Amino acid sequence: ILNVEQSPQSLHVQEGDSTNFTCSFPSSNFYALHWYRWETAKSPEALFVMTLNGDEKKKGRISATLNTKEGYSYLYIKGSQPEDSATYLCALFGAGSYQLTFGKGTKLSVIP
Amino acid sequence: GAGVSQSPSNKVTEKGKDVELRCDPISGHTALYWYRQSLGQGLEFLIYFQGNSAPDKSGLPSDRFSAERTGGSVSTLTIQRTQQEDSAVYLCASSLFSDSNQPQHFGDGTRLSIL
């Protein structure tokens, strides 16, 4: 069973602050790392799919990096806005598997 | 519609009853997944379909759970003799094909409450 850990579990930031959170996974069983954003009363939305060590992806004010050798990924949000409030999920696509194993998520609340 | 459609959006039923949850994936997507999120837990994989291949049922928690996908499109997840621990949000997702590079597209989910 793959173990995907996310930290922190939740955080509150002021509008305009930049923030980041972490996803840790077993580096020995890596195939791809997915990030999703899940807003309340909506469906999870794919942000990034990352496969290569050193990958960096960017979408507007949100970016992510990947280190497969040490088994972690960081998600950064620059200049947080209230609409960024959501739960951010990371998920591992493990070698030999056709399913995603999700972490429990980081719940972000941006205070106007 | 353009997205993954799930029905019903909410279901309340008594313990011991059977329930059926439906998922209509994005047209042309060959891979379909079911997940559930119980209170305080992360998304948990249940079952995966790829085209006409035999499904991967490794995540189903008990033999009370079953799923089928007809004609490679619509899928139904059935829970027999429901128990209170079955209460959760059940999410369906589809992707173009079952590759690690493919993002999964999720429906809005079915919130199942067992009384």
Side-chain angles (χ1 to χ4, degrees), chain A residues 32 34 36 38 43 51 98-99, chain B residues 33 37 100-102 104 107:
Chain A
H34 292 217
Y36 292 84
W38 194 359
S43 54
T51 57
Y98 293 96
Q99 56 175 274
Chain B
Y33 306 81
Q37 185 177 46
S100 58
N101 286 329
Q102 290 295 311
Q104 295 185 12

Side-chain angles (χ1 to χ4, degrees), chain B:
Chain B
V4 176
S5 177
Q6 290 188 246
S7 61
S9 54
N10 284 285
K11 178 74 176 179
V12 180
T13 193
E14 292 179 348
K15 177 181 170 182
K17 300 284 189 185
D18 297 353
V19 295
E20 279 191 357
L21 312 180
R22 177 189 166 102
C23 173
D24 199 345
I26 293 173
S27 178
H29 280 194
T30 63
L32 186 147
Y33 306 81
W34 283 97
Y35 299 90
R36 74 174 178 181
Q37 185 177 46
S38 305
L39 193 63
Q41 302 300 313
L43 277 174
E44 172 192 13
F45 166 77
L46 296 176
I47 188 169
Y48 147 75
F49 296 88
Q50 170 57 53
N52 295 320
S53 303
D56 175 358
K57 304 179 183 179
S58 60
L60 294 179
S62 79
D63 58 9
R64 295 186 296 104
F65 287 72
S66 63
E68 62 177 21
R69 188 179 184 192
T70 53
S73 181
V74 171
S75 177
T76 302
L77 177 69
T78 301
I79 310 173
Q80 295 179 307
R81 305 181 303 282
T82 51
Q83 303 294 311
Q84 287 186 330
E85 62 262 28
D86 300 334
S87 296
V89 176
Y90 289 80
L91 284 168
C92 174
S94 69
S95 61
L96 195 57
F97 42 88
S98 58
D99 186 275
S100 58
N101 286 329
Q102 290 295 311
Q104 295 185 12
H105 301 264
F106 286 83
D108 288 341
T110 294
R111 184 173 296 276
L112 177 64
S113 300
I114 310 299
L115 302 178

